[in-house]
Amino acid sequence: YTSPEGQRYYVNSCSKDVAVFNNVQFIICLSSANGRHCSTKTCQPAEIADVALRKPPTNKQASLQPRGGCLTRGSDCINCVTFPLPGEGPEQQLLKPNEWSYCDYFWADKKDPQGTTSVAGFEVLLQKQLKGKQMQKEMAEFIHERIKIEEEYAKNLSKLSLSPLALQEEGTLGEAWTQLKKSLHDEAEVHLKFSNKLHTEVEKPLLTFRGDNFKKDLKKYDHHIADLRKQLMSRYAGVEKARKALADRQKDLEVKTQQLEIKLSNKTEEDIKKARRKSTQAGDDLMRCVDLYNQTQCKWFEEMVTTSMELEKLEVERIEWIQQHLRQYTTLRHETDMFNQSMVEPVDQLLQNVDPSKDRELWVKENKTSEVRPVDMDI
């Protein structure tokens, strides 16, 4: 950190002791609306000019204390990932404002429903993809059941159209009845064609969209991000180890310095210098570990953005694909209704032409026995 007077120093997060150095290695991590850009500037190897064990920092300095062990100004480490403290530093801008993009909302881990374990934000995105695949499969199963109903319906209509019931009806009513039976046969054909088109134009596309390789691709994404996360955990462990080593070296230096001051030991100034060099080396090691941690986190950050946006693209494609083929379902359904309506129209027309007097005329002409009426008998 830098004091109000411009003096650079380290803060031991355990003991709250402060060590002042001439030069430091520092990390610049910038989050912007266009993404996160990480760069590292390394000064010459640090030489200790003076090490003073001071009182704990003031309240202003204490507000900049690291939490969870991470040595990043105004930051907090959660599950080995560094997040800014609330209210610390400039406000972060979303990478894709007003889009509710995956790349902006899944950085932290999520507790499972039982609250016992954490699920990585990226894992939530993968589960969404797998759920989408399952929903797509269930939609295809639904359409398949619809096809079976249509096929059974077509079969029953065709069978009914061949029924001999009322076959002997005559006249204009007989013609209408015959047309009605014929319309059942035609309607059966329409529903059979509808079921076939449902299979080829709706069910099959839903089943074949993203086959078995899709899950393998998701596993590749999962393994890649998981590996980066493991590397990040390893780097974090390295920072913690180096931080502890620095604290031990500082403590050793403090003890030797105090012993020298009160003449309780035969330690010489050379011993103090040696302890200072070890403390300096421990500080350099810590800075290198922090540098490696930040580089790894930067890489993880970049891959998270890239991969989450790829998953977002896949989800958009899935929804649009399903929308397209469900719209095809409604189109086929409307066509079926129109065909059925066209088959019913001749029946309607013939029913309108049914004429009881005409039927009587036709029947009489065909079945009359004689037009001669009986007369009285003559004596």
Side-chain angles (χ1 to χ4, degrees):
Y1 304 137
T2 303
S3 70
E5 296 77 23
Q7 177 67 56
R8 293 176 177 176
Y9 62 95
Y10 284 115
V11 176
N12 185 315
S13 61
C14 292
S15 65
K16 309 305 180 188
D17 293 334
V18 177
V20 181
F21 294 81
N22 274 344
N23 298 306
V24 297
Q25 178 188 49
F26 60 93
I27 310 300
I28 302 173
C29 288
L30 171 65
S31 295
S32 68
N34 295 325
R36 175 170 174 149
H37 308 281
C38 296
S39 61
T40 304
K41 180 178 179 181
T42 306
C43 299
Q44 296 299 321
E47 294 290 342
I48 294 183
D50 179 34
V51 177
L53 298 174
R54 305 180 179 180
K55 296 180 180 180
T58 63
N59 290 337
K60 180 178 180 180
Q61 293 171 332
S63 66
L64 301 179
Q65 288 294 325
R67 298 185 181 182
C70 282
L71 301 178
T72 304
R73 188 174 188 267
S75 66
D76 194 4
C77 273
I78 303 176
N79 292 345
C80 303
V81 179
T82 307
F83 295 96
L85 290 172
E88 293 286 348
E91 182 180 356
Q92 289 184 346
Q93 299 297 319
L94 295 177
L95 300 179
K96 300 183 70 176
N98 304 320
E99 293 190 29
W100 293 94
S101 175
Y102 286 175
C103 67
D104 277 316
Y105 296 97
F106 294 90
W107 293 106
D109 296 345
K110 179 181 180 181
K111 289 288 186 180
D112 68 356
Q114 289 74 29
T116 55
T117 59
S118 294
V119 178
F122 186 75
E123 185 66 25
V124 176
L125 295 178
L126 289 179
Q127 290 173 0
K128 171 62 175 172
Q129 292 292 321
L130 294 174
K131 181 180 178 181
K133 179 69 174 176
Q134 179 63 27
M135 293 302 99
Q136 174 188 324
K137 179 182 177 182
E138 291 182 12
M139 289 179 186
E141 291 176 357
F142 179 91
I143 298 299
H144 182 71
E145 292 299 316
R146 182 74 169 92
I147 291 171
K148 289 168 62 176
I149 292 173
E150 288 295 323
E151 290 175 343
E152 188 66 22
Y153 184 52
K155 177 181 177 182
N156 290 334
L157 285 178
S158 181
K159 180 179 179 181
L160 184 59
S161 70
L162 300 176
S163 171
L165 296 174
L167 183 62
Q168 296 180 356
E169 182 59 60
E170 301 171 327
T172 55
L173 181 59
E175 292 177 0
W177 179 249
T178 300
Q179 183 61 42
L180 186 147
K181 292 171 65 179
K182 182 179 182 300
S183 71
L184 291 185
H185 175 76
D186 295 340
E187 186 178 353
E189 290 296 319
V190 169
H191 282 276
L192 188 59
K193 290 180 180 178
F194 175 52
S195 67
N196 290 333
K197 286 187 176 182
L198 280 182
H199 172 68
T200 58
E201 299 179 25
V202 181
E203 180 193 16
K204 189 174 180 180
L206 289 177
L207 283 175
T208 57
F209 182 62
R210 293 179 184 156
D212 296 334
N213 289 333
F214 180 67
K215 289 187 177 180
K216 294 180 181 178
D217 292 338
L218 288 184
K219 286 184 179 180
K220 291 180 181 178
Y221 289 137
D222 189 16
H223 291 161
H224 181 55
I225 297 297
D227 286 344
L228 289 174
R229 189 68 182 269
K230 289 178 182 178
Q231 292 177 29
L232 191 61
M233 293 174 66
S234 176
R235 297 301 188 194
Y236 175 78
V239 169
E240 289 294 285
K241 182 178 179 180
R243 181 179 63 81
K244 184 178 183 303
L246 176 59
D248 293 340
R249 293 301 183 186
Q250 288 180 327
K251 188 66 175 179
D252 180 60
L253 178 59
E254 176 186 3
V255 171
K256 290 180 178 179
T257 301
Q258 291 176 346
Q259 289 176 346
L260 180 64
E261 290 176 351
I262 60 178
K263 310 293 186 183
L264 292 180
S265 173
N266 294 325
K267 299 296 182 182
T268 64
E269 186 66 25
E270 186 63 30
D271 293 325
I272 299 297
K273 291 181 179 179
K274 183 177 180 181
R276 284 177 178 175
R277 285 195 296 271
K278 289 183 178 180
S279 181
T280 301
Q281 183 61 47
D284 290 342
D285 291 343
L286 176 59
M287 288 187 292
R288 281 192 290 270
C289 289
V290 171
D291 188 21
L292 291 173
Y293 170 86
N294 281 287
Q295 290 179 27
T296 303
Q297 181 166 258
C298 188
K299 178 64 175 176
W300 172 74
F301 180 95
E302 294 171 352
E303 291 299 318
M304 277 285 291
V305 171
T306 301
T307 310
S308 63
M309 291 183 69
E310 179 64 23
L311 294 181
E312 182 178 297
K313 177 183 176 182
L314 292 175
E315 178 64 6
V316 171
E317 290 176 353
R318 182 187 75 90
I319 292 176
E320 291 180 345
W321 179 268
I322 292 176
Q323 177 193 30
Q324 173 188 343
H325 289 86
L326 292 185
R327 290 183 67 181
Q328 182 64 11
Y329 167 85
T330 61
T331 298
L332 294 173
R333 189 68 186 85
H334 287 315
E335 290 178 356
T336 300
D337 289 340
M338 288 188 292
F339 282 127
N340 287 339
Q341 182 63 33
S342 66
M343 293 166 198
V344 173
E345 288 176 358
V347 179
D348 285 337
Q349 186 64 39
L350 288 174
L351 288 174
Q352 292 175 9
N353 293 336
V354 170
D355 185 348
S357 61
K358 180 64 175 178
D359 287 358
R360 185 170 62 252
E361 174 188 349
L362 294 174
W363 186 84
V364 168
K365 286 181 179 179
E366 183 176 351
N367 295 281
K368 65 182 179 178
T369 58
S370 174
E371 298 177 17
V372 180
R373 295 185 297 275
V375 297
D376 293 341
M377 181 184 295
D378 289 335
I379 298 178

